[in-house]
Amino acid sequence: MSHQFVHIHASGRFDATPAEARAAWDDFRSTRGVKLITATEYGSGKFDGALKADGWDYFRGSGECVVAWATDTFEPAWRGAGYATRIGTRFFRGGNHDARTPLTSMPLRHIVTGRIAMVRVPHTPAHIQAGDGFRKTTTRVLEQGRAWVTSLAGMGRRSRRFRADHKNAAEIICGDFNVDVHRAHWRGVVSAALGLHCATPIPDGGDLGKRLVSWFFYRGLGVATTGVMRPVKGFDHKPVLIRWSITASRP
């Protein structure tokens, strides 16, 4: 028997106010059927008040990427399950010359089916796709490109190890990839690196203007519907939404 749940991913903005973040998360949690929320740019702890709500738990660790879940649907797959790390080579971001790609990983158990779903949330470097601030080939742009490639490779290695150890588990990697997955080229590059399927993009429109840079890659689940939500005050990305279906055994 298949069970469905809604998953919202929200690429945040570090300079939003705590009140704006709280309003956004209250809206996310009130969306019909939502049981899983992931987000980027929620570091430093100033937004942690927005993440807390009755019937919900979350993991951020020391990172900027968040996984939150409804406790009537999911539970941590094992004790001390979540971890936040930084992967790939170093690059320049936001005044930090030693930035690395943040990645939060949280294995969850779907309570009804018993299936484990590894949920990973990255925020990869920008200036990868021509036209996205790409004006000339500078040392900084080359550094970011190298960091983007090595971070995807690192996620792919983690995915393959997890698959070998948990053959019946599902996996979701969603986040801000900073390339437009409307384009078959970028879907193919990311899918091949991660070893995962790309959820079929919405036909037009995106989370960042017309570009769809925040999206879902997966295995071991079914996809019922996808969409982009309305803009959220204080944030430059629109949230994106997917309805997953899950069964007791891997499809």
Side-chain angles (χ1 to χ4, degrees), residues 22-249:
R22 181 74 206 192
W25 278 72
D26 285 346
D27 189 47
F28 300 156
R29 287 184 289 255
S30 69
T31 301
R32 185 176 180 181
V34 68
K35 300 295 183 179
L36 179 66
I37 304 171
T38 53
T40 59
E41 290 198 49
Y42 276 82
S44 80
K46 84 169 186 176
F47 297 128
D48 283 1
L51 311 179
K52 298 173 183 175
D54 291 342
W56 284 80
D57 202 354
Y58 73 94
F59 180 80
R60 181 177 64 80
S62 59
E64 66 150 87
C65 303
V66 179
V67 179
W69 59 93
T71 55
D72 64 355
T73 302
F74 291 104
E75 62 186 7
W78 53 81
R79 189 173 181 178
Y83 64 95
T85 188
R86 292 185 178 271
I87 61 174
T89 57
R90 289 175 168 78
F91 65 100
F92 178 88
R93 173 184 275 164
N96 180 3
H97 290 272
D98 268 336
R100 297 175 70 203
T101 298
L103 177 70
T104 292
S105 301
M106 184 68 206
L108 297 171
R109 188 183 308 279
H110 187 255
I111 293 170
V112 174
T113 63
R115 290 278 302 287
I116 292 173
M118 172 61 84
V119 184
R120 302 189 196 272
V121 188
H123 184 187
T124 64
H127 300 164
I128 306 306
Q129 181 178 345
D132 177 25
F134 196 116
R135 297 293 177 264
K136 56 184 177 179
T137 304
T138 64
T139 300
R140 184 174 295 178
V141 166
L142 291 173
E143 192 177 71
Q144 288 180 318
R146 188 161 49 245
W148 191 84
V149 169
T150 55
S151 65
L152 287 178
M155 283 183 272
R157 286 192 295 271
R158 285 166 171 80
S159 178
R160 287 189 290 275
R161 286 198 300 267
F162 184 77
R163 183 181 309 186
D165 293 339
H166 302 275
K167 291 183 172 57
N168 192 46
E171 188 169 4
I172 301 166
I173 300 183
C174 58
D176 184 350
F177 291 96
N178 274 306
V179 293
D180 188 357
V181 298
H182 283 312
R183 300 189 182 186
H185 167 76
W186 291 113
R187 292 198 301 276
V189 168
V190 178
S191 291
L194 301 181
L196 301 175
H197 304 293
C198 177
T200 302
I202 57 170
D204 51 39
D207 64 302
L208 192 62
K210 295 181 180 180
R211 300 171 66 227
L212 190 62
V213 303
S214 302
W215 204 240
F216 308 93
F217 294 81
Y218 70 100
R219 68 178 177 91
L221 296 163
V223 177
T225 57
T226 59
V228 175
M229 299 173 68
R230 64 181 180 272
V232 177
K233 185 179 179 181
F235 299 92
D236 54 350
H237 292 255
K238 298 175 185 174
V240 291
L241 176 150
I242 192 164
R243 183 180 294 273
W244 299 111
S245 62
I246 188 169
T247 59
S249 60

